[in-house]
Amino acid sequence: MKHGEGTYQYQNKDSYSGWWQFGQKKGQGTYYYASTGMKLSGEWDANKIVKGKWVFPNGTYYEGNFKENKPDGQG
């Protein structure tokens, strides 16, 4: 079971680097999507990002709150 700070690479080559708590993403971390080059960085709780930055390959980004891994509000 993943617990503490570390990096995990998924079968599809995506990766998550940050904090884990009892097998779930919790605390500061970054999820990188290998197929698109997008990344989500920020605060995670129960495997979902709740606040942070979603950066697209072209440099545009959303920064703010998230709900169910999707932007929530104006950012």
Side-chain angles (χ1 to χ4, degrees), residues 10 12 14-16 25 29-33 38-40 44:
Y10 297 88
N12 65 358
D14 288 0
S15 63
Y16 173 79
K25 298 172 198 81
T30 299
Y31 190 98
Y32 175 75
Y33 294 89
M38 292 188 297
K39 71 178 179 177
L40 289 168
W44 296 77

Side-chain angles (χ1 to χ4, degrees), residues 29-65:
T30 299
Y31 190 98
Y32 175 75
Y33 294 89
S35 64
T36 63
M38 292 188 297
K39 71 178 179 177
L40 289 168
S41 295
E43 186 72 25
W44 296 77
D45 188 27
N47 271 340
K48 295 178 181 164
I49 190 164
V50 292
K51 187 173 186 174
K53 193 172 186 179
W54 186 359
V55 182
F56 296 87
N58 66 3
T60 61
Y61 65 89
Y62 167 85
E63 188 169 8
N65 295 319

